[in-house]
Amino acid sequence: MRILDLVSQEIQTLATGLLYWHPAWSRDGRRVVFVGAEPSASGLRLIVVGVDEGTTERFPLPGAGWPSRPQFSADGSWLYYSAQPGATRSLYRLELDAEAKPQEFIVLDRHLHDPLLSPDGQWVAFRRNMEIWLARVDGEAGPHDQQIRRVNDEGGDNFTFTPDGTALLYASGDRVWRQAISGGERVEIPIGLTLRPPSPPSMLIRDVHVLDFTTGGFGTETSLYMEGGRIRWIGTEREHELPADVVILDGGGRFAIPGLFDMHAHATAGPWSRSDFQEAWLAYGVTSVREAENGLAFSTTLVDRSESTNDPVPRYFFSGNIFCGQLGPLPWEAVPPAASFVLSDESDVRTYVRHWSKRGVHFIKTHPCLSWSLHRALADEARRVGLPVMEQLAAAGTAWSPTLTLSLADVALLEPERSANPKLQAFAIKGLLEHQQRHFGQVDAQRWREERAKQLSVIGAAYRRGVRLYAGTDAPYGPVPGASLHRELRSFVDAGIPPLEVLRIATREAAAAVGAGQDLGAIEIGKLADLVLLDANPLEDIANTQTIWRVMKGGWVFDPEELAAQATEH
């Protein structure tokens, strides 16, 4: 956690640990509070740093789940934050005293997230799923349900008070609104933002073997011509006229496959990844990611960056927030509040499915914390609006993403002879590989091999029985973004699936699953120019998917070695 002085440009480090989030200033600008996870502590802490004095105070939060948005009271003597010690999230306050204990300040019968105090300390605004609510803070006892009011039922992407505390500003999708605290009609603040993506140059790739799923192999050497980020023709140059400014790339007889998909991944940094690892996907040939857990606003920001720049960022197909019921103690139920919705009845479920459909999500994700009856309502409403559902339930006709690189700890990726690879080192945080190797040294190798063989047997049987499989890694929560997908592909082949079918699963089938089959998943005329150029034939050995020479996304060409070098510099 650092501070940048905008005048002197000096940077001050406040704390160094595993994970920090939600920093906030005190009113006088002399202290900063944030939530932290540190190697020397069990559980999360509220950390208060005196910027001028260099003092640090840590306040433990036993059983408080994922606390969010800590902030100082107007006089600086209290901290306010939301947390979930039991069935629902509430607003707590903590007196800045070493012996003080947290007090539940706002008591509701349902969840509240991301509370924010007004500048005068008289109001607190908070999010309940995407709804924005407002409560008066006037005394020792906090308000109950009957003492709060809903400001809006579709905002909540971001909200704040005006400096004088008389109104709320909030964003809903691509619109911004002002709502007076006293009530009345909201007023839209016009935002004239237009994203104009740069156009890639016209490009000809000569002398490449193109993977053709129809014929079941690579064709003879040919040329590919791309214009406007799409494939315009495949064949010999003699039959076509090229523009004078065309960029020519000599493929040198290499093998072209469609851009790969990671069908279960996350766009946020886990504990074993750098804070911004977007280029890692492209460096490993992953041009599309199915983002399976994140706030909607963050996901759409990444989509804008991917579609409106030539940055090395993959395409994102996203779900937005997870649909949950009452959150519990199990790991998959204890997701950060910013990434989850807490839905209590069928009306809630159906309303949010329809709302999410309008906001452009590609699928709905849910967890076992949602009751069976609400699962049925969710599936029914999702079917009505044409959205697939991603969940941890098995039923006839569903598809399966085994994520072996996660369930088997991806230890095979971290064998000593491979962990020294500079490219892999570039996209992992310092100490990752050493930590994993120490951990692997404590694993019973024979038992691990037996467990892997058992899981591969199940995957092979599922494939033979016609179960649709997807290749996903759950990166970056353990697996390394991009790199781990190639281990997943290798595991599929080890399970008895032919390399051609594995490539089809990771490209054509994945594109169809996210509704992008018309544009992605194959190297064909009219499709987007997403492809990977390999030095060796992956049909002879699936490990050859890692012999990546160049990666193209939408007509922009990326050199993996250059991406790795840039990552190392960062």
Side-chain angles (χ1 to χ4, degrees), residues 78-95:
W78 294 82
L79 291 176
Y80 289 82
Y81 62 94
S82 69
Q84 182 195 332
T88 59
R89 295 185 63 84
S90 301
L91 178 66
Y92 286 78
R93 69 175 184 176
L94 175 67
E95 190 173 8

Side-chain angles (χ1 to χ4, degrees), residues 3-10:
I3 294 175
L4 168 65
D5 188 315
L6 296 177
V7 177
S8 67
Q9 295 297 301
E10 293 181 353

Side-chain angles (χ1 to χ4, degrees), residues 429-489:
I429 68 167
K430 184 179 180 180
L432 161 65
L433 303 183
E434 294 83 355
H435 170 85
Q436 291 282 33
Q437 286 169 354
R438 287 195 301 271
H439 175 72
F440 185 44
Q442 302 171 3
V443 173
D444 184 327
Q446 180 59 33
R447 182 177 178 182
W448 179 86
R449 283 191 290 269
E450 292 173 354
E451 179 63 25
R452 184 171 189 271
K454 187 187 304 181
Q455 293 198 29
L456 293 180
S457 175
V458 173
I459 292 172
Y463 169 74
R464 291 189 295 274
R465 293 178 182 180
V467 174
R468 284 180 294 134
L469 295 171
Y470 298 146
T473 65
D474 212 5
Y477 298 117
V480 179
S484 293
L485 181 69
H486 296 276
R487 279 300 306 171
E488 194 76 7
L489 302 185

Side-chain angles (χ1 to χ4, degrees), residues 334-397:
V335 292
S340 61
F341 282 165
V342 181
L343 307 170
S344 58
D345 55 46
E346 182 175 331
S347 175
D348 258 3
V349 168
R350 293 184 181 275
T351 295
Y352 273 97
V353 169
R354 292 193 295 271
H355 186 49
W356 246 213
S357 175
K358 294 177 182 178
R359 293 290 294 273
V361 302
H362 299 89
F363 61 100
I364 300 290
K365 182 177 180 180
T366 182
H367 270 173
C369 54
L370 198 66
S371 70
W372 177 242
S373 62
L374 296 186
H375 262 108
R376 292 185 63 183
L378 183 149
D380 178 64
E381 196 64 35
R383 178 187 58 80
R384 292 172 185 268
V385 299
L387 287 174
V389 177
M390 179 181 183
E391 54 189 317
Q392 293 177 329
L393 294 174

Side-chain angles (χ1 to χ4, degrees), residues 177-228:
W177 303 88
R178 185 182 189 277
Q179 175 66 62
I181 299 298
S182 59
E185 294 292 324
R186 62 179 182 174
V187 177
E188 184 172 6
I189 299 175
I191 302 294
L193 176 64
T194 301
L195 299 176
R196 296 183 175 87
S199 180
S202 300
M203 176 169 290
L204 178 76
I205 303 179
R206 286 175 173 161
D207 300 331
V208 290
H209 300 275
V210 175
L211 181 62
D212 187 332
F213 288 118
T214 303
T215 61
F218 288 95
T220 58
E221 289 187 2
T222 189
S223 296
L224 293 169
Y225 177 69
M226 277 74 62
E227 190 176 77

Side-chain angles (χ1 to χ4, degrees), residues 290-307:
R290 187 170 68 154
E291 157 59 59
E293 176 189 318
N294 223 310
L296 184 61
F298 184 81
S299 297
T300 53
T301 297
L302 276 175
V303 170
D304 285 344
R305 184 178 170 196
S306 174
E307 294 180 350

